[in-house]
Amino acid sequence: MLSAGLSLALNDIVSMTRLICTDNDKPTLKNMRHKICRQPASTNMNKNVRIETMDRGDDVGGDKFSSAVRSQFRNRKTKTTDETCSDEQPEDPIRLLSNLIAPDVLYSTTTVDPLSSVISAVKLRNPDVIVVLLLKERSPNSVVILKQKIELRVERGLEVEHEPCDCNLQGFQVSVR
């Protein structure tokens, strides 16, 4: 399972990598949870890898996913009274992500729209996130179509943003290798 392998490969004594693995298929989620729970306690998999469903739509992942991201990646320090009483909006949980790794997620042209929607929404909300898609082209031109859709959605997202963007996504392009 990729999530367990990534967690083990990325963990070291100094910093433990925390991952959230997602899917919308209940049997797949159950299988991922089972595999994580079966790992030796010394690997800290139960603490470092979280399995969640991720809804597709305007609010990337939905409220449950946002809560899971916030819980998994927020700083583990205790809040002071000033921080808990603040009127500030909580930080966007998508801004807490450093990487979005999506292996084997493009099955046909029917998955292009939901996949491009999630990727572009994450990129618009967190311009610094590194996105890696590990794909096998199963349908003719599906990777090219996905690339074009992501670029178009990011461009359109920049056009409708209400707040000035302090990011460098102008001219954003997807690199395919």
Side-chain angles (χ1 to χ4, degrees):
M1 184 169 83
L2 181 64
S3 55
L6 276 173
S7 184
L8 287 171
L10 297 173
N11 284 339
D12 60 36
I13 295 171
V14 179
S15 70
M16 299 300 280
T17 300
R18 291 174 290 190
L19 302 171
I20 293 184
C21 303
T22 66
D23 207 297
N24 284 332
D25 181 59
K26 287 184 181 183
T28 301
L29 291 166
K30 184 177 179 181
N31 184 40
M32 288 193 296
R33 285 187 183 105
H34 173 75
K35 291 195 183 265
I36 294 300
C37 289
R38 292 189 50 131
Q39 298 302 311
S42 61
T43 64
N44 288 321
M45 286 291 190
N46 284 325
K47 292 180 183 177
N48 298 327
V49 179
R50 189 165 181 157
I51 309 297
E52 291 293 336
T53 187
M54 186 165 119
D55 300 328
R56 295 180 177 136
D58 293 336
D59 181 23
V60 176
D63 290 337
K64 184 178 179 199
F65 180 74
S66 292
S67 295
V69 171
R70 199 174 279 116
S71 169
Q72 186 77 347
F73 297 115
R74 74 172 187 266
N75 288 336
R76 303 273 183 202
K77 66 179 184 178
T78 19
K79 292 183 177 183
T80 63
T81 309
D82 293 341
E83 288 174 322
T84 55
C85 296
S86 173
D87 288 337
E88 285 183 30
Q89 291 289 328
E91 181 176 18
D92 180 356
I94 299 301
R95 301 278 301 170
L96 300 172
L97 300 176
S98 63
N99 292 274
L100 172 64
I101 302 170
D104 200 27
V105 290
L106 185 61
Y107 301 110
S108 69
T109 53
T110 60
T111 56
V112 167
D113 276 335
L115 183 57
S116 64
S117 175
V118 168
I119 293 168
S120 59
V122 167
K123 195 66 180 171
L124 285 165
R125 287 172 59 185
N126 183 355
D128 297 327
V129 72
I130 297 168
V131 179
V132 177
L133 304 176
L134 310 168
L135 307 172
K136 176 179 177 152
E137 189 155 21
R138 292 181 171 91
S139 299
N141 298 321
S142 58
V143 172
V144 171
I145 294 168
L146 176 64
K147 173 190 181 322
Q148 292 169 343
K149 288 247 184 187
I150 293 169
E151 290 170 350
L152 183 62
R153 287 177 188 265
V154 168
E155 183 181 318
R156 285 185 182 159
L158 289 172
E159 290 171 3
V160 298
E161 271 206 20
H162 302 293
E163 300 174 17
C165 185
D166 61 349
C167 57
N168 190 14
L169 285 176
Q170 297 295 337
F172 169 76
Q173 290 185 331
V174 175
S175 174
V176 177
R177 294 183 196 155

